[in-house]
Amino acid sequence: MQPAVVQLHNVSVQLGPVLALSDVHLTINPGERVAFVGANGSGKSTLLRTLHGLLRPTQGQVQLHPTCRQAMLFQRSHVLRLSALHNVALGIWLDRAQGHSWAQSRARAVTALQRVGLSAVAQQSGRQLSSGQQQRLALARAWGRQPDVLLLDEPTASLDPYAKREVEALMAAFADQAETTATLLWASHNLGQVKRLASRVIYLEAGHILADLPVADFFNAQLLETTSPAAHAFVQGELS
Ligand SMILES: Nc1ncnc2c1ncn2[C@@H]1O[C@H](COP(=O)(O)OP(=O)(O)OP(=O)(O)O)[C@@H](O)[C@H]1O
Ligand SMILES: [Mg+2]
């Protein structure tokens, strides 16, 4: 069996007065597509940031695979006042672990923009793109770094249905390119999307993991009601 891409052991994260994560145990294996769901403030973003190594736990340990490359797309993506092409190229070039020259970074950026369907606007300012295009740009920037693990924080939250489907298709394409090794971790309020894309669903409430199930079990209402009444109530609330 391949080693885990990331593991959390007894992890708690205190942010100011808030215990945003509380005693979390979690193992993410290569090839998994894990969706994090839960109400606003339940700790999804905090968990993603912790898994990405951005937040240091107040207690417990984060064990990152030494050679797995991660890239994260944040809840609010920062598009720079540069062309779309330079936004992506800079992201790749600044990833010093890869050590690409500017010319190599630029060439990879061209490919990444092509992949997300933004070649036609490569020379336009990133800031002038629509929000759907900006989200695809952020995805190109993350994917262009050729990560093994892609973390996305509500990647389709503010998009119209068409743009949502486009970004969703790109997430699936990332996961499908190397089915057994590409790992997708994302936070979502969109249960339809979770059903379509996830292999495993983790439900959070007030910083606790209250359900961690294969996708089919999570959406089996009868089963969920017995294994995790809190998650069941959440799903019913979201679906109603
Ligand atoms: N920088 C911070 N300082 C203090 N508290 C914070 C900080 N960031 C987050 N929190 C708190 O930590 C808890 C978890 O927040 P988090 O952003 O992880 O939730 P979330 O599940 O991503 O919510 P949403 O669905 O709204 O994005 C919340 O109570 C939030 O108010
Ligand atoms: Mg969040």
Side-chain angles (χ1 to χ4, degrees):
M1 195 169 136
Q2 287 175 293
V5 295
V6 53
Q7 282 188 299
L8 303 188
H9 306 280
N10 293 83
V11 164
S12 296
V13 175
Q14 179 88 30
L15 296 172
V18 179
L19 188 59
L21 286 183
S22 181
D23 199 23
V24 170
H25 295 265
L26 188 57
T27 298
I28 306 283
N29 291 308
E32 286 196 293
R33 305 168 172 206
V34 186
F36 298 99
V37 302
N40 292 130
S42 55
K44 303 179 297 296
S45 296
T46 307
L47 183 52
L48 283 175
R49 284 169 183 269
T50 306
L51 289 167
H52 193 41
L54 281 178
L55 276 177
R56 202 190 282 258
T58 323
Q59 184 195 300
Q61 272 189 323
V62 179
Q63 206 175 335
L64 293 164
H65 187 289
T67 57
C68 262
R69 263 206 304 269
Q70 292 195 359
M72 180 158 169
L73 194 147
F74 295 91
Q75 202 161 351
R76 290 176 202 84
S77 56
H78 298 287
V79 172
L80 302 170
R81 210 178 290 277
L82 295 170
S83 70
L85 181 66
H86 282 178
N87 261 281
V88 179
L90 198 62
I92 296 168
W93 185 71
L94 285 174
D95 188 353
R96 298 320 298 154
Q98 298 206 46
H100 292 310
S101 67
W102 177 249
Q104 286 168 326
S105 304
R106 203 177 173 284
R108 278 172 189 269
V110 169
T111 309
L113 285 176
Q114 225 164 28
R115 192 158 46 198
V116 301
L118 289 182
S119 297
V121 296
Q123 300 305 332
Q124 270 183 42
S125 167
R127 292 266 179 97
Q128 284 170 4
L129 303 180
S130 72
S131 54
Q133 287 174 322
Q134 288 197 11
Q135 201 60 337
R136 281 190 281 149
L137 179 61
L139 196 55
R141 196 163 52 188
W143 196 351
R145 289 166 54 202
Q146 299 191 306
D148 305 296
V149 186
L150 188 58
L151 303 99
L152 310 102
D153 199 349
E154 296 191 32
T156 57
S158 57
L159 305 181
D160 68 43
Y162 179 72
K164 260 193 183 83
R165 284 304 181 114
E166 278 196 321
V167 169
E168 202 179 297
L170 289 166
M171 289 163 65
F174 168 80
D176 289 344
Q177 62 174 350
E179 222 173 292
T180 53
T181 53
T183 308
L184 194 62
L185 310 176
W186 85 108
S188 184
H189 282 287
N190 182 336
L191 291 182
Q193 177 182 84
V194 170
K195 212 173 196 170
R196 287 188 290 275
L197 274 185
S199 60
R200 172 181 173 190
V201 187
I202 291 181
Y203 171 74
L204 286 158
E205 201 173 281
H208 295 269
I209 293 182
L210 295 190
D212 181 353
L213 294 167
V215 67
D217 293 352
F218 188 85
F219 287 105
N220 177 335
Q222 247 180 333
L223 185 77
L224 192 64
E225 195 171 14
T226 36
T227 52
S228 179
H232 176 257
F234 172 80
V235 172
Q236 293 312 305
E238 291 281 305
L239 294 178
S240 65

